[in-house]
Amino acid sequence: MQWEVVIGLENHVQLTTQSKIFSGSSIRFGAEPNTQASPVDLALPGVLPVLNRGAVERAIRFGLAVGAKIAPQSVFARKNYFYPDLPKGYQISQFEDPVVQGGTVSFAYEKDGKLETKTVNLTRAHLEEDAGKSLHEDYAGMSGIDLNRAGTPLLEIVSEPEMRSANEAVAYAKALHSLVMWLGVCDGNMQEGSFRCDVNVSVRPVGQKEFGTRCEIKNLNSFRFMEEAIHYEVRRQIELIEDGGKVIQATRLWDPDRKETRSMRTKEDAQDYRYFPDPDLPPLVIGQDWIDRVKAEMPELPGALRARFTGEYGLPEYDSLVLTSSKAMAGYYEAVVAKAGKENAKAAANWMMGDVSSTLNREGVDIGDAPVTAAQLALLLKRIADGTISNKAGKEVFAAMWEAKSDDENLADTVIDQKGLKQISDTGALEAIVDEVLAANAKSVEQYRAGKEAAINALIGQAMKASKGKANPAQVTELLKQKLAG
């Protein structure tokens, strides 16, 4: 039987406010346990929650970016369940009336060696508070409770179940991760839990309209873990069904050491949480003037920037997609082009996607921390474009610039001089080299004049060898053609 995979994501995005969603407590990561939990976070008798305006504005910003409806009035509810690290015995969230309704996220991904684009619809994005954290590893035979995280503001972004492979799901999650960082609503630090992914996975026979029974894989904090967990869960469900069993709706956890999902609890439905409006919080009313103010402060969005890169700089769609993968990457690229000139825009894109990206990946460095500045790279591109050095020599210069970690804006010129990498562009010197090569390679000359145009490549190679790689290849080629035609 042929199976179809159905995937939907719920992403918990920690918002970049200074304080919690209903109290003034700090949300600074790494503080000593239980030093950032106020009476409001602990739900002590007599306390009242007060909504953080900054959290609402970040939700509005996200909603505008994905083309969603911003609800003019939304309601906070109590989601009732028991966890040792949930001091209230309930979580304040939104149920029937979320602040962000609908919207879409578009992304690109590779399929069968080709670049594909896809748009996934969002169901909603709602504000809620985070729970605390149970600590199981630090205490022998016991668990500790750290309530510092209790009350941290979250935006939970829920997609429609429209993804059909692990590849699509990971690409969607990466696009969402990039977007919330681009907007400044989340710092995106997955190791610290700022961006967490819950993946709902089910399978169904190809052609069947009804969804299969889903299982939710909770709290994935790595794109690699997400991909591995989806592949495992898909295999598990298919094998279970084909062996005559039934998939039980459940919440599962990914064990990265054993490379398997394991059951955590039977999956609850909405009625199990006994949602009801929180009596301590009035409805959240968002007027159009508030939305307009947030909209006026929005940065240029990735989609608009991609279109501008393609139109203004003449870049292929793929280049624009890669260069707008993060705000920092796009900003670095534009800074390079501003210094190097639009005539070098495509060369700048090639270097950004090639040597720059590969070096960043190898060194484990973000573009914002690259030791080669945009101005330094721009000068290097100019020196390649004006023939001062070859593209091959440019790679050597770039590597030296990276190691130098200098603020000197003219670093490329300094390295070129130190290494003696300037190309020979003097016509007289090049003509002497070409004459020697022609005299020493009569067979290649004869083949070229007999109509075998590829023979000139051997002559170019000999000229470059004679000049120890310093001859300007374009000039060498032109001189050879002139002399061979004579």
Side-chain angles (χ1 to χ4, degrees):
M1 182 177 290
Q2 296 295 310
W3 296 92
E4 181 179 48
V5 181
V6 178
I7 301 171
L9 263 67
E10 300 171 16
N11 291 88
H12 292 84
V13 173
Q14 181 175 316
L15 301 175
T16 52
T17 58
Q18 295 298 308
S19 57
K20 296 184 179 179
I21 189 168
F22 299 118
S23 80
S25 300
S26 171
I27 61 170
R28 181 175 59 87
F29 182 82
E32 286 295 312
N34 300 307
T35 58
Q36 296 182 170
S38 73
V40 174
D41 307 321
L42 301 176
L44 297 182
V47 299
L48 290 173
V50 177
L51 181 58
N52 186 326
R53 183 182 183 89
V56 178
E57 291 190 344
R58 284 160 177 77
I60 295 172
R61 194 182 308 169
F62 175 78
L64 291 172
V66 298
K69 174 189 174 184
I70 308 299
Q73 180 170 302
S74 58
V75 175
F76 284 96
R78 291 186 179 181
K79 180 180 180 182
N80 296 274
Y81 62 97
F82 173 78
Y83 255 32
D85 54 20
L86 189 70
K88 295 183 177 75
Y90 60 86
Q91 177 189 30
I92 301 178
S93 183
Q94 293 184 314
F95 180 51
E96 293 178 336
D97 298 301
V99 63
V100 176
Q101 301 172 7
T104 60
V105 172
S106 298
F107 56 93
Y109 66 103
E110 284 195 11
K111 181 180 180 181
D112 300 327
K114 296 180 181 178
L115 187 68
E116 301 280 347
T117 57
K118 186 179 179 74
T119 297
V120 168
N121 289 291
L122 301 181
T123 309
R124 58 192 281 148
H126 59 264
L127 288 164
E128 64 182 21
E129 62 179 347
D130 207 346
K133 187 176 183 180
S134 297
L135 307 174
H136 306 294
E137 298 174 357
D138 299 332
Y139 308 96
M142 298 183 293
S143 291
I145 302 296
D146 180 7
L147 296 176
N148 281 347
R149 201 172 67 182
T152 295
L154 300 178
L155 185 67
E156 181 173 345
I157 303 165
V158 183
S159 83
E160 290 290 312
E162 296 177 346
M163 287 155 276
R164 296 294 178 264
S165 69
N167 194 20
E168 287 184 21
V170 171
Y172 163 85
K174 286 182 176 179
L176 189 62
H177 181 256
S178 174
L179 178 60
V180 295
M181 292 177 63
W182 190 293
L183 295 169
V185 303
C186 175
D187 65 20
N189 193 319
M190 298 182 76
Q191 288 73 32
E192 294 180 1
S194 297
F195 186 90
R196 310 193 296 269
C197 306
D198 297 345
V199 185
N200 289 286
V201 180
S202 65
V203 298
R204 64 183 176 186
V206 171
Q208 178 178 301
K209 291 184 179 180
E210 296 79 15
F211 290 138
T213 301
R214 75 184 190 278
C215 287
E216 181 183 32
I217 311 169
K218 291 284 288 184
N219 290 332
L220 295 162
N221 64 351
S222 150
F223 298 125
R224 179 170 63 85
F225 289 167
M226 178 191 295
E227 185 173 21
E228 291 173 347
I230 292 172
H231 283 310
Y232 175 87
E233 184 62 20
V234 168
R235 289 195 304 271
R236 186 189 73 85
Q237 292 187 21
I238 291 174
E239 290 172 2
L240 182 62
I241 296 169
E242 289 184 343
D243 287 342
K246 290 180 64 177
V247 175
I248 305 299
Q249 183 175 329
T251 298
R252 302 180 70 86
L253 294 176
W254 172 245
D255 186 330
D257 296 322
R258 296 185 177 182
K259 303 291 184 184
E260 64 182 18
T261 62
R262 51 186 173 83
S263 183
M264 177 183 177
R265 62 177 182 266
T266 302
K267 176 66 178 174
E268 300 91 347
D269 287 313
Q271 63 268 21
D272 297 316
Y273 291 116
R274 297 182 294 110
Y275 282 98
F276 64 86
D278 192 299
D280 292 334
L281 286 163
L284 170 60
V285 177
I286 300 175
Q288 187 60 45
D289 58 337
W290 193 0
I291 296 173
D292 291 341
R293 283 199 304 275
V294 174
K295 188 174 185 179
E297 298 169 357
M298 293 271 285
E300 186 175 15
L301 297 176
L305 196 58
R306 283 196 292 271
R308 183 160 66 77
F309 280 7
T310 300
E312 187 174 339
Y313 301 138
L315 297 182
E317 182 183 0
Y318 179 79
D319 292 21
S320 296
L321 279 167
V322 174
L323 293 170
T324 56
S325 60
S326 75
K327 194 174 184 179
M329 178 72 79
Y332 188 100
Y333 172 74
E334 286 225 273
V336 172
V337 174
K339 289 281 189 178
K342 289 185 180 180
E343 66 274 13
N344 291 312
K346 176 55 180 167
N350 292 343
W351 271 84
M352 290 287 296
M353 296 185 297
D355 289 69
V356 175
S357 291
S358 63
T359 307
L360 290 171
N361 291 336
R362 185 179 68 248
E363 301 290 331
V365 176
D366 292 327
I367 187 69
D369 299 319
V372 176
T373 67
Q376 290 171 342
L377 180 60
L379 182 60
L380 174 60
L381 298 184
K382 284 183 176 181
R383 294 296 174 258
I384 296 171
D386 65 20
T388 301
I389 58 172
S390 66
N391 196 65
K392 181 180 179 181
K395 294 177 180 295
E396 184 178 344
V397 174
F398 177 78
M401 289 166 62
W402 188 280
E403 291 301 321
K405 295 178 175 58
S406 168
D407 294 330
D408 179 11
E409 196 165 312
N410 298 313
L411 183 59
D413 284 341
T414 303
V415 173
I416 291 168
D417 289 340
Q418 287 175 347
K419 291 183 172 289
L421 294 173
K422 281 187 179 179
Q423 290 190 131
I424 301 172
S425 297
D426 177 76
T427 303
L430 290 178
E431 200 164 357
I433 292 172
V434 167
D435 287 341
E436 289 180 13
V437 168
L438 291 174
N441 294 273
K443 184 176 180 180
S444 294
V445 171
E446 183 182 339
Q447 289 176 334
Y448 181 82
R449 286 176 172 163
K452 189 177 179 181
E453 294 188 4
I456 198 172
N457 293 330
L459 296 170
I460 294 170
Q462 288 300 314
M464 296 304 295
K465 182 178 179 181
S467 68
K468 297 181 180 178
K470 292 184 179 181
N472 186 313
Q475 286 183 260
V476 167
T477 303
E478 186 60 32
L479 279 171
L480 281 168
K481 286 182 176 179
Q482 288 174 8
K483 290 181 178 290
L484 288 168

